[in-house]
Amino acid sequence: MSNASNVEDAPQPPKVLATPLEVAGNLRMLQEAHDPLIITFHERTLRCQSFLVEVDRDNLRIVLDEMIPREGEKYLEAGEPFKVEGFHDGVRVAWESQGAWTITQKECGRCYVGALPGQVVYHQRRNAFRAALKLSQLVDVEIAGSRLKNTLVGKLLDISAHGCKLRFEGDISERLQLGQIYERFAAALPFGAMTTPVELRHLHFEERIDTTFVGVRFHNIPGLVQRQIERFVHQLQRDAQRFDRDDF
């Protein structure tokens, strides 16, 4: 029985989706969930964040929100190829762009119009199940490191074996940098505090609610801490399944 479970939980091989229907459907999933995208240019260390503003399957085009930092815009304008990567509920959706982009202004602000990708890589990683915490049970977290003047204090929103999503009051986006490693991430888990380095993967300030949302990936995580996290994720999974059964 345990072998069958291990096979089910094992990472699934990536799939290449190549029809406009499949491509647009998966990109629309990222758009509707407002999942952040990481943009990296070939042979450059710069990492930018953006969002999908529009997915137009009929006209085979997409629209990306203004890059943060905006430095990446000059490489896009120069026609440099770049890679885009997004995550949704443990699914990695990635593609490459080598075509021309148009910089324009829409109701939402500055954005970029380009061709719908010819194909995207869809990777469902079962072992990266992301468990959400109830609002009444949010865990206190801290981020500190040599690149930060002061420790940032926030809340843990969800967690997987590979990373987690955090919430901080106010706008802290200027104090953090995408791709940066922060040496000390601490979370007060129910059965003991955990500490590990993390890499900043996503960063978004929501002005309407004066809150910054941060996504981090665990970096060089110690074995003991990895087991703590897996235990916590499994506990959240069991709690969610029990709640579903009770609700039914």
Side-chain angles (χ1 to χ4, degrees), residues 39-56:
I39 296 177
T40 51
F41 291 86
H42 295 191
E43 300 180 2
R44 296 190 185 277
T45 57
L46 179 68
R47 295 166 63 90
C48 300
Q49 178 176 283
S50 182
F51 295 88
L52 270 163
V53 174
E54 182 182 333
V55 179
D56 185 347

Side-chain angles (χ1 to χ4, degrees), residues 85-171:
E85 184 180 47
F87 293 86
H88 181 82
D89 289 344
V91 176
R92 174 179 177 267
V93 179
W95 68 95
E96 296 204 13
S97 172
Q98 299 186 10
W101 287 78
T102 302
I103 301 174
T104 186
Q105 201 79 17
K106 287 183 175 286
E107 302 80 11
C108 58
R110 194 175 183 84
C111 55
Y112 319 115
V113 181
L116 183 78
Q119 62 181 35
V120 300
V121 175
Y122 176 98
H123 193 186
Q124 170 70 59
R125 298 177 300 179
R126 294 288 182 89
N127 63 342
F129 174 83
R130 187 169 290 274
L133 284 75
K134 297 178 182 178
L135 289 176
S136 60
Q137 299 175 333
L138 298 185
V139 167
D140 293 327
V141 298
E142 294 181 353
I143 295 182
S146 57
R147 298 298 184 95
L148 285 172
K149 291 182 179 179
N150 301 306
T151 299
L152 301 176
V153 179
K155 296 288 187 181
L156 177 70
L157 297 180
D158 65 34
I159 187 168
S160 76
H162 300 307
C164 54
K165 184 176 180 180
L166 316 171
R167 184 188 76 190
F168 297 88
E169 292 185 6
D171 185 1

Side-chain angles (χ1 to χ4, degrees), residues 1-9:
M1 196 66 180
S2 59
N3 289 341
S5 177
N6 289 340
V7 170
E8 186 175 327
D9 290 339

Side-chain angles (χ1 to χ4, degrees), residues 49 152-155 157 165-176 200 202-207 209-215:
Q49 178 176 283
L152 301 176
V153 179
K155 296 288 187 181
L157 297 180
K165 184 176 180 180
L166 316 171
R167 184 188 76 190
F168 297 88
E169 292 185 6
D171 185 1
I172 62 167
S173 56
E174 295 296 324
R175 300 164 64 182
L176 295 169
L200 186 70
H202 307 308
L203 180 62
H204 174 62
F205 172 61
E206 191 66 53
E207 185 176 5
I209 55 176
D210 193 32
T211 300
T212 302
F213 295 96
V214 171

